[in-house]
Amino acid sequence: MKFINYVGLLVMALMLGACVSMKESTAVNHNGFEQGISVVHGLPKILPGKSSPIPGVPYVFILPDSAATLLVPIPFVGDAVVNQMHQSTSNAYKNKFTAADPYEYALKSLQKTSFYKAENAAYKLYPYAVIQQGYDDIYRVSLVYHVEGSNWVGRYLYHLPTTYPKAQFVNTPPSEIKSLQTELSAGADELSNLLKRDEAGELTPHGKKATLGSLFIVGGRIAGVVTPDVLAYPNIDIIEEASDYVIARSAGDMKTDGQSGGMLFGVHYFHRNQLHTYKVTAEGNK
């Protein structure tokens, strides 16, 4: 019973910590994208805390916290060790993903829309991929559209269906990433479509709520100890669902640590099997 209480307190502390600077995810003004969106090759200034960029390509790693480094008693030493380890891992992959650059897929997809504008656009789109190493040594990849303009920031996330065991991911040569290329292309088209739908007011919450949890949001052990499949976020807006997918919208803090909910904010496209917890708590308006 004490262990159960300990788990519950840790999960609650994580959720409350992630809520310190919670920002609502809102749609851009109606027809706002008519002022144009340009695509930027690079990372936005706002990234999940403790994420490590991969040099040269718009990818970031979110690696699991270690209980050992979290318990280091000397101030700042724990974070310094973790950051060095994470950046070392990121640097090792800098040549691996040049053949699967999220920018190329986003650009190709957005050029098919009416609101793409190569120059002098009011909005900037930063497409990048997040690679999250789970507590189970599985790598999960999410394609992110970070869009910002005057007084507005939006984030759209497509969680790729293929996952990669650590050994396979580490040893896969750059020439053998066809599944990643295919899924990034499909994800870019899905996110471009979500942009259009959001601008048209089609992704507005209509009262349907759910408690939702996914290893694509938090994949590492909580505090380096507790498995993340006990963590689920309440009152998430469910925009649309079918037998094989769920589109959800959530508030969040984009700057909080990746393993503390930094991936929560925005509009998510989940495949059903990517949710370890999904319980509808309010049906809303049909």
Side-chain angles (χ1 to χ4, degrees):
M1 182 63 69
K2 288 183 179 179
F3 178 71
I4 294 174
N5 289 339
Y6 175 63
V7 172
L9 287 172
L10 275 175
V11 173
M12 185 176 293
L14 174 62
M15 293 175 70
L16 290 174
C19 291
V20 171
S21 301
M22 291 285 274
K23 175 181 175 63
E24 291 296 327
S25 171
T26 60
V28 70
N29 290 335
H30 187 64
N31 294 329
F33 291 149
E34 288 184 356
Q35 302 172 64
I37 303 178
S38 61
V39 186
V40 180
H41 190 271
L43 295 170
K45 292 181 180 179
I46 302 175
L47 291 169
K50 294 185 180 178
S51 58
S52 301
I54 298 177
V57 287
Y59 279 80
V60 298
F61 262 108
I62 295 177
L63 299 176
D65 289 327
S66 163
T69 55
L70 288 171
L71 295 174
V72 172
I74 304 173
F76 308 113
V77 172
D79 281 345
V81 172
V82 170
N83 290 339
Q84 185 174 2
M85 290 169 55
H86 288 189
Q87 197 57 58
S88 175
T89 300
S90 296
N91 290 341
Y93 286 91
K94 61 183 178 182
N95 296 321
K96 191 179 186 72
F97 299 109
T98 54
D101 190 331
Y103 168 82
E104 300 295 339
Y105 301 103
L107 178 63
K108 184 178 179 180
S109 179
L110 212 70
Q111 284 175 334
K112 295 182 260 183
T113 70
S114 62
F115 44 75
Y116 171 72
K117 197 173 183 181
E119 297 179 348
N120 301 317
Y123 295 88
K124 292 182 179 180
L125 163 61
Y126 297 82
Y128 66 98
V130 174
I131 303 168
Q132 187 166 183
Q133 181 184 341
Y135 78 101
D136 50 2
D137 278 340
I138 297 294
Y139 286 83
R140 297 171 175 87
V141 184
S142 302
L143 177 63
V144 181
Y145 272 17
H146 176 107
V147 188
E148 56 186 55
S150 178
N151 301 316
W152 180 82
V153 175
R155 193 166 72 173
Y156 304 80
L157 306 94
Y158 176 87
H159 306 292
L160 276 58
T162 299
T163 58
Y164 303 87
K166 183 176 181 179
Q168 175 188 342
F169 195 79
V170 170
N171 297 320
T172 301
S175 59
E176 297 182 9
I177 55 172
K178 290 188 181 295
S179 67
L180 183 61
Q181 293 170 325
T182 299
E183 292 178 6
L184 284 173
S185 179
D189 285 342
E190 190 61 57
L191 293 184
S192 295
N193 185 50
L194 288 180
L195 283 179
K196 289 190 290 185
R197 295 182 61 193
D198 208 15
E199 183 200 38
E202 296 177 13
L203 303 184
T204 302
H206 48 80
K208 189 167 189 174
K209 302 277 188 178
T211 298
L212 183 151
S214 172
L215 297 181
F216 284 83
I217 299 177
V218 176
R221 291 180 183 272
I222 302 164
V225 178
V226 182
T227 59
D229 52 6
V230 303
L231 175 61
Y233 291 89
N235 298 318
I236 302 298
D237 288 307
I238 304 304
I239 305 301
E240 182 176 293
E241 62 177 320
S243 60
D244 58 343
Y245 72 88
V246 172
I247 298 175
R249 182 169 222 136
S250 176
D253 180 359
M254 291 188 286
K255 294 181 180 179
T256 200
D257 291 352
Q259 295 295 358
S260 299
M263 290 286 286
L264 184 62
F265 172 84
V267 176
H268 295 258
Y269 185 104
F270 290 106
H271 300 274
R272 283 270 187 178
N273 61 3
Q274 295 172 334
L275 300 171
H276 61 70
T277 303
Y278 183 70
K279 182 179 180 181
V280 175
T281 54
E283 286 293 343
N285 301 319
K286 299 295 184 182

